[in-house]
């Protein structure tokens, strides 16, 4: 079975276009991105801060079994229109033993109602350079976001009472 989350990267461009259709109502899909408890469930991370509003910010952190921080991501929310759009920055801290260095990126998330029970997420992610975008693509990025979106579908289907 192919990946349901589609990642498009045009040669020489500084952006990615990510799309995914969900078997979830629009309002529930949007909640998955703005309610700390839901974000923590489908992302599998600790949500230390999530101020879902214009000029809000967020901080996520994941630790291993020994308590070592293995992921820390943060950003600022620049635009917030419920059930329609979120514009935010995203910055991931480089972990001490990582060969990769990460710069802040700009993310445009658009939420679209397809029917009463389905919705679509479109993410445009803009990087500082083509090289940084390509660095991201050398990681198992497409597989990772597809797995995260699969978890989102599963977790929210349970919340919604569907399968």
């Amino acid at each position: 079975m192919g990946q349901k989350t589609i990642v498009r990267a045009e040669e020489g461009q500084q952006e990615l276009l990510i799309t995914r259709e969900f078997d979830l109502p629009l309002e529930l899909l949007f909640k998955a991105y703005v309610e700390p408890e839901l974000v923590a469930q489908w992302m599998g991370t600790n949500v230390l801060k999530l101020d879902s509003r214009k000029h809000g910010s967020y901080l996520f952190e994941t630790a291993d079994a020994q308590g070592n921080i293995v992921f820390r991501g943060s950003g600022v929310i620049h635009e917030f229109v419920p059930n329609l759009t979120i514009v935010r920055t995203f910055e991931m801290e480089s972990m001490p033993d990582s060969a990769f260095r990460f710069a802040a990126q700009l993310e445009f998330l658009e939420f679209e109602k397809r029917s009463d029970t389905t919705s679509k997420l479109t993410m445009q992610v803009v990087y500082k350079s083509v090289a940084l975008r390509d660095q991201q693509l050398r990681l198992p990025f497409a597989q990772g976001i597809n797995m995260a979106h699969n978890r989102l579908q599963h977790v929210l289907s349970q919340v919604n009472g569907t399968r």
Side-chain angles (χ1 to χ4, degrees), residues 11-124:
E11 188 68 32
Q13 299 294 313
Q14 293 174 230
E15 67 181 18
L16 296 175
L17 189 64
I18 303 163
T19 56
R20 171 73 179 248
E21 293 198 23
F22 292 90
D23 293 322
L24 297 168
L26 171 66
E27 296 78 10
L28 194 54
L29 175 61
F30 191 80
K31 282 182 183 181
Y33 278 84
V34 301
E35 290 190 4
E37 308 78 31
L38 294 176
V39 172
Q41 285 181 41
W42 72 266
M43 283 188 65
T45 192
N46 295 317
V47 177
L48 303 179
K49 179 180 183 180
L50 181 53
D51 187 12
S52 295
R53 63 180 179 84
K54 185 172 181 152
H55 306 299
S57 61
Y58 64 94
L59 176 61
F60 305 152
E61 186 176 88
T62 304
D64 64 17
Q66 291 73 40
N68 301 308
I69 304 303
V70 296
F71 166 80
R72 184 176 291 129
S74 62
V76 175
I77 299 168
H78 295 273
E79 184 178 352
F80 186 86
V81 181
N83 299 318
L84 188 60
T85 190
I86 299 171
V87 177
R88 66 187 185 187
T89 56
F90 173 79
E91 187 171 8
M92 184 167 72
E93 275 189 29
S94 297
M95 295 298 113
D97 56 351
S98 174
F100 292 96
R101 296 294 168 240
F102 301 95
Q105 61 199 44
L106 183 59
E107 300 180 339
F108 299 86
L109 287 72
E110 295 178 3
F111 300 82
E112 178 184 346
K113 179 178 180 173
R114 305 293 271 190
S115 74
D116 287 344
T117 59
T118 61
S119 53
K120 180 179 177 183
L121 171 65
T122 301
M123 298 174 65
Q124 178 187 15

